[in-house]
């Protein structure tokens, strides 16, 4: 009976794994097709009601799409670096702010602490689109609309990052902090030399989750940036899929690489950090 139950679980999990991996495999294999082959099997996807066939394996493998993306159409590669610049800035800033604020909410006692944290949780539960208008008004008053800081600053002050680090730091014994104070360490030394290293798994989880969220953002660049040349790859992918599907598949593979590398190298820390935060 147990063996039958185990087999059923494997079949059930295998089906969902296939369901999740199929779009990734589909994008990768189609990126090796020629423009003529994609047009032959998919037709004109820009026309409403156009029929598209499911074609996963290329008739003839070619690197023409990657050649076009890397050498003939460098604007796609520029968008990739735009994404790295925006995402890297948000991740670094969010890691510093979230770690500092999470430490304060966890280990300090100050008036209104619980009320402020409750408001933070409410903000975390709201869709980002709810705060787009207020963010735009504030950024416009600061004369930042059209520049990268307009996208970076709202991303840095993420309620989720503060909540995650607060939960992780909460599990750290106070005795270690008190011992550091007796040795003469100030709060910044305690945070960056003692708390942060001991909360490495939670910090890595925050970095990965923040990277994925920032890497895939679309609404923020569309609203806060005016120059199309400054758009990240996530925004440009929609246009590439519409104008040139073969190039869109190659750009899709390019967009997968950073996220896939992060997951492959830091999978253990991601799982451990989420378990330490008591998130369900």
């Amino acid at each position: 009976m147990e063996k039958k139950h185990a087999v059923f679980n494997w079949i059930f999990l295998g089906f969902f794994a296939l369901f999740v991996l199929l779009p990734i495999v589909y994008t990768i294999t189609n990126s090796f097709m020629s423009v003529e082959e994609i047009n032959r099997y998919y037709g004109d996807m820009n026309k409403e009601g156009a029929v598209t066939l499911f074609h996963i394996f290329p008739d003839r493998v070619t690197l023409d799409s990657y050649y076009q993306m890397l050498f003939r159409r460098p604007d796609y590669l520029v968008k990739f670096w735009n994404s790295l610049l925006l995402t890297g800035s948000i991740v670094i800033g969010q890691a510093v702010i979230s770690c500092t604020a999470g430490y304060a909410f966890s280990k300090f006692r100050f008036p209104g602490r619980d009320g402020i944290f409750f408001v933070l949780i409410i903000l975390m539960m709201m869709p980002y689109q709810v705060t787009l208008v207020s963010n735009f008004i504030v950024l416009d008053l600061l004369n930042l609309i059209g520049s990268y800081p307009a996208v970076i600053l709202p991303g840095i002050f993420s309620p989720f990052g503060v909540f995650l680090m607060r939960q992780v730091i909460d599990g750290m014994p106070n005795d270690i902090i008190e011992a550091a104070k007796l040795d003469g360490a100030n709060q910044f030394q305690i945070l960056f030399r003692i708390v942060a290293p001991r909360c490495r798994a939670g910090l890595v989880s925050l970095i990965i989750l923040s990277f994925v969220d920032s890497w895939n953002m679309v609404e923020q660049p569309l609203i806060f940036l005016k120059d199309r040349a400054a758009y990240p790859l996530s925004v440009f992918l929609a246009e590439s899929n519409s104008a040139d599907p073969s190039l869109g598949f190659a750009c899709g593979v390019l967009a997968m690489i950073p996220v896939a590398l992060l997951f492959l190298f830091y999978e253990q820390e991601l799982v451990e950090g989420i378990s330490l935060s008591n998130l369900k």
Side-chain angles (χ1 to χ4, degrees), residues 207-219:
I207 289 173
I208 294 176
L209 295 174
S210 174
F211 187 95
V212 173
D213 184 56
S214 303
W215 187 258
N216 295 321
M217 61 182 174
V218 175
E219 295 93 343

Side-chain angles (χ1 to χ4, degrees), residues 87-102 155-158 161-162 165 169 191-192 196 202-204 206-208 210:
T87 303
S89 301
I90 292 174
V91 168
I92 293 173
Q94 189 175 137
V96 174
I97 295 297
S98 298
C99 196
T100 305
I156 287 177
F157 298 97
S158 168
V162 178
M165 291 310 301
I169 297 174
L191 173 60
F192 292 108
L203 194 56
V204 171
L206 171 63
I207 289 173
I208 294 176
S210 174

Side-chain angles (χ1 to χ4, degrees), residues 59-242:
D59 296 335
R60 181 177 63 88
V61 175
T62 177
L63 297 176
D64 183 62
S65 296
Y66 292 98
Y67 174 75
Q68 292 287 335
M69 177 185 66
L70 297 175
F71 301 106
R72 298 296 298 274
R73 300 285 299 276
D75 48 333
Y76 289 90
L77 200 56
V78 170
K79 299 297 180 294
F80 175 81
W81 293 112
N82 289 346
S83 293
L84 281 181
L85 175 61
L86 286 170
T87 303
S89 301
I90 292 174
V91 168
I92 293 173
Q94 189 175 137
V96 174
I97 295 297
S98 298
C99 196
T100 305
Y103 175 62
F105 277 114
S106 176
K107 302 303 182 183
F108 284 75
R109 299 291 182 269
F110 52 88
R113 186 194 67 164
D114 294 338
I116 296 173
F117 191 72
F118 179 77
V119 172
L120 198 73
I121 294 176
I122 297 298
L123 290 174
M124 184 183 68
M125 297 175 63
M126 290 184 178
Y128 185 81
Q129 292 79 0
V130 174
T131 60
L132 276 177
V133 175
S134 58
N135 283 338
F136 184 90
I137 294 173
V138 173
L139 293 169
D140 189 40
L141 292 173
L142 296 174
N143 199 28
L144 293 176
I145 296 297
S147 63
Y148 279 161
V151 180
I152 295 171
L153 288 177
I156 287 177
F157 298 97
S158 168
F160 174 76
V162 178
F163 172 79
L164 176 65
M165 291 310 301
R166 189 257 190 183
Q167 296 296 103
V168 172
I169 297 174
D170 251 357
M172 183 177 176
N174 293 326
D175 296 343
I176 300 176
I177 298 175
E178 295 300 327
K181 290 179 180 179
L182 292 175
D183 290 338
N186 58 42
Q187 294 295 345
F188 285 101
Q189 290 174 328
I190 294 173
L191 173 60
F192 292 108
R193 294 185 181 181
I194 298 175
V195 175
R198 292 182 65 89
C199 299
R200 180 179 180 273
L203 194 56
V204 171
S205 298
L206 171 63
I207 289 173
I208 294 176
L209 295 174
S210 174
F211 187 95
V212 173
D213 184 56
S214 303
W215 187 258
N216 295 321
M217 61 182 174
V218 175
E219 295 93 343
Q220 301 93 313
L222 281 173
I223 294 174
F224 298 145
L225 298 178
K226 297 179 180 179
D227 186 5
R228 293 174 61 86
Y231 283 169
L233 187 62
S234 54
V235 175
F236 215 63
L237 272 175
E239 298 180 4
S240 67
N241 286 330
S242 176

